[in-house]
Amino acid sequence: EIGNLEISPNPAKDVINIQVLGETHLLGGKLHVFDIFGRNIHTLSMPNSSFHQLDISNYLPGLYFVEFIDNQLKTAKGKFIKIN
């Protein structure tokens, strides 16, 4: 594990900003969003970028977990709460 993700605002209604902390983002990777049951509900590529804005307006209210996995299989994790 390489560290954490900075997610703001948290809790959020419509959009979250996700920042990968550390230098691993320079290698690129994938960002995964999981619901409380561990289901992968969203996956996106983050090539050579440490910042991504994610539209969560269609998500149901609740707790979500986010994991970034770089191209060397190192991870950074975070969580956020979706509200109405």
Side-chain angles (χ1 to χ4, degrees):
E1 188 169 314
I2 54 162
N4 294 320
L5 299 175
E6 184 176 294
I7 301 172
S8 64
N10 193 6
K13 286 184 175 186
D14 299 314
V15 175
I16 57 172
N17 301 304
I18 302 170
Q19 177 81 35
V20 180
L21 303 177
E23 295 183 14
T24 188
H25 67 271
L26 299 174
L27 303 171
K30 292 197 183 295
L31 190 74
H32 302 276
V33 179
F34 300 94
D35 67 12
I36 192 76
F37 301 107
R39 294 180 294 215
N40 188 347
I41 61 167
H42 197 115
T43 299
L44 57 107
S45 293
M46 290 182 64
N48 305 321
S49 174
S50 66
F51 177 80
H52 188 77
Q53 205 167 54
L54 182 63
D55 180 357
I56 61 167
S57 59
N58 291 327
Y59 288 25
L60 294 174
L63 178 64
Y64 291 87
F65 300 93
V66 183
E67 181 177 49
F68 174 79
I69 303 174
D70 75 8
N71 290 330
Q72 292 184 339
L73 304 179
K74 295 178 183 173
T75 63
K77 297 178 182 181
K79 58 188 170 191
F80 68 93
I81 296 173
K82 162 66 163 100
I83 57 175
N84 282 332

